[in-house]
Amino acid sequence: MLIKQLSIFLENKTGSLHAALEALASHGVNISALSLADTADFGILRLIVDEPEKAKSVLAEMGVAVLLSDVLAVAMDDVPGGMAELLHQVAAEGLSVEYMYACVGRVSGKALTVMRLDDNEKGEALIQRGKHGQVNPADIYRL
Amino acid sequence: MEAKGIDFLPREELEALQLKRLQETVARSYERVECFRRRMDEKGLKPSDVKSLQDLAKLPFSYKKDLRDYYPYGLFAEPLENVVRVHASSGTTGKRIVVGYTQNDLDMWDDCIARMLTSLGVTAEDRIQVSFGYGLFTGGLGLHGGAQKIGALVIPMSSGNTPLQIQTMIDFEATVLCCTPSYVMYLGEEVQKMGVKDQLKLRIGIFGAEPWSENMREKIEDALGIKAYDIYGLSEVLGPGVSGECPEQAGMHIREDNFIAEIIDPDTEEVLPLGSEGELVFTSITKEAFPVIRYRTRDICRLIPERCPCGSTHLRMGKPQGRTDDMMIIRGVNVFPSQIEEVLLKVCGDKITPNYQIVLDRVNHNDTFDVNVEMSPSFFTDDIKSIEKLERTIVESLRSALGIGAKVHLVNPQSIVRSEGKAKRVIDLRKGKI
Ligand SMILES: [Zn+2]
């Protein structure tokens, strides 16, 4: 399924990451997945949280550059080769992965992964057809 | 032996010459330059109202903005067939400013520089390495002409490529070096690193195009075993050589047979008494192609009332102490914050310019130039590559607009400190650093 991801601009400066996370914590926002991509000069913090809209407005009010976008959440089989199998299917469909990161999952036998594909619709269709199936919103937003 | 020549002309004779030349310049400009004529008419003045040198204070000012408004040739007082060269420099916005010279103007320029060189004891036996940039910038060709005029051997190196600069100085046995003070600081350090100081034949250095301190002079003289002299000028008025130091190293003699200097209060625009600090204003009295009348340099300095021990009767000006506008001099290049603003507006493709801040510092005698740009929600994307591309585009556009490189950093929105709602645009940490 498609879920909301928060992307946050982080200046390359100590404390940048901490300030953003602390603000979310103080507003009771729970984080279920987090990934930090950075260059020498800046970074983008990507978060999956239980209340994306609220998190966005908390951060925007602090003056943080933040945006919400759709990414694909996938429940892979938590077995050896599960990831390879998923990526194989994605490639076979002609889709490319811009980035992906793991989610702290509590669904038995499944590993939750967040993926940014170059085409969300096709990715969503692929997951619905495939054996990886849907993710229960409750599993991903509220862990 | 009594010193002779224009630099030692008795004051009364010099002033009589100035008045005659001022009257000619005003009459010619009134006749040929529409902008000046209009300003004179607005004040109800005619060229015949200039009866003494004191009457200069009645005349209208001219400004850098005029050069933009009348770009490229609108302020020229000669038809283009009589103009033999142009030079250009950066304006306050993307548009450059252009100045022109007749052959007589170039001869006068050469003469100004030749007189400075001669006063420092430079002769036809010297080998002068000109490491100012050649091209539209006035530094290279300006020094070149004067050096050639005294019959010295000119080494037209232009700027850049430090190892080659040093090798050339050694191989061609350069005795005089001309460049920016920050560049010679760097050169001096490289010479020390390479351990080649004793292979140099240098004895004199002429440095200008950016402010430098007595402290820097000491370091330069020490590092290279030379005497270091300051030269001043700006392309709107002439280029380097409007004034320059004599052996006393105590102020720059203005070539008063060609230029009249005034010091004004930049706010009230009143002329201040000799010796006061204020904004330097220049009037050219011999230039043909591009005469300037009461040109506001925006440089803050003072004229030195005392007669120089060298015997020259020409007034000296002190080192410029600052600016009355927001112009910065970075690695010898004039940069206005408005130029940076223009680039950001173009690159970020937004209706509003992102907030930015310029940070200048000096590390290893070199100016560092950083531009912090606030990330704005309007151009933030989730894609690292496109943000990196934006950053690169800003760097490249700044380089092409300013001619010098800047480091660009994207910073958090609203992180640039504002006072009274306005961000402080320039943080200059260079003061006192060499
Ligand atoms: Zn003197």
Side-chain angles (χ1 to χ4, degrees), chain A residues 5 7-11 16 37 39 41-42 44 46 63-67 99 116, chain B residues 375-377 380-385 387-388 391 408-415:
Chain A
Q5 170 188 262
S7 304
I8 297 162
F9 174 81
L10 288 181
E11 176 186 340
S16 271
T39 71
D41 284 329
F42 66 91
I44 298 179
R46 297 175 177 125
V64 171
V66 55
L67 57 86
Y99 56 80
R116 157 79 74 200
Chain B
M375 175 48 84
S376 145
F380 176 52
T381 79
D382 179 50
D383 183 17
I384 290 259
K385 282 190 215 90
I387 299 177
E388 278 184 316
E391 212 174 29
V408 171
H409 313 275
L410 295 171
V411 300
N412 287 336
Q414 297 169 42
S415 63

Side-chain angles (χ1 to χ4, degrees), chain B residues 47-212:
Chain B
S48 56
D49 291 325
V50 180
K51 295 189 169 67
S52 71
L53 284 178
Q54 282 65 48
D55 291 333
L56 179 60
K58 295 181 195 164
L59 301 183
F61 290 106
S62 55
Y63 308 88
K64 187 162 198 154
K65 185 179 174 296
D66 302 341
L67 281 86
R68 193 180 66 211
D69 295 345
Y70 288 86
Y71 179 88
Y73 301 134
L75 297 173
F76 284 21
E78 284 290 332
L80 288 187
E81 63 258 37
N82 296 341
V83 177
V84 298
R85 192 187 305 158
V86 291
H87 279 286
S89 65
S90 59
T92 51
T93 64
K95 212 177 215 177
R96 289 181 301 193
I97 57 167
V98 182
V99 294
Y101 305 79
T102 63
Q103 187 56 52
N104 285 339
D105 292 337
L106 292 182
D107 292 345
M108 178 271 280
W109 190 4
D110 290 350
D111 182 60
C112 288
I113 287 174
R115 278 154 59 188
M116 173 174 178
L117 291 171
T118 304
S119 81
L120 300 176
V122 179
T123 69
E125 286 173 32
D126 279 290
R127 293 162 297 274
I128 304 183
Q129 182 156 327
V130 180
S131 303
F132 278 117
Y134 278 65
L136 288 172
F137 174 55
T138 49
L141 285 166
L143 265 300
H144 184 106
Q148 198 163 294
K149 181 169 170 139
I150 63 166
L153 187 156
V154 184
I155 309 165
M157 271 305 285
S158 198
S159 49
N161 197 343
T162 306
L164 189 63
Q165 294 274 0
I166 294 172
Q167 200 54 54
T168 306
M169 269 191 269
I170 295 171
D171 292 353
F172 298 172
E173 304 185 328
T175 54
V176 178
L177 173 67
C178 313
C179 62
T180 61
S182 54
Y183 187 62
V184 73
M185 290 292 299
Y186 178 67
L187 263 183
E189 197 153 89
E190 290 301 297
V191 162
Q192 278 179 331
K193 261 191 224 158
M194 292 163 68
V196 293
K197 184 177 168 187
D198 56 355
Q199 295 178 45
L200 297 178
K201 298 275 191 299
L202 280 184
R203 60 188 195 93
I204 283 177
I206 293 170
F207 309 115
E210 64 189 13
W212 52 304

Side-chain angles (χ1 to χ4, degrees), chain A residues 43-73:
Chain A
I44 298 179
L45 175 66
R46 297 175 177 125
L47 297 176
I48 306 298
V49 299
D50 55 354
E51 294 173 281
E53 292 292 347
K54 176 178 165 189
K56 185 188 171 189
S57 61
V58 166
L59 292 168
E61 229 159 86
M62 280 172 68
V64 171
V66 55
L67 57 86
L68 275 181
S69 61
D70 290 331
V71 288
L72 202 59

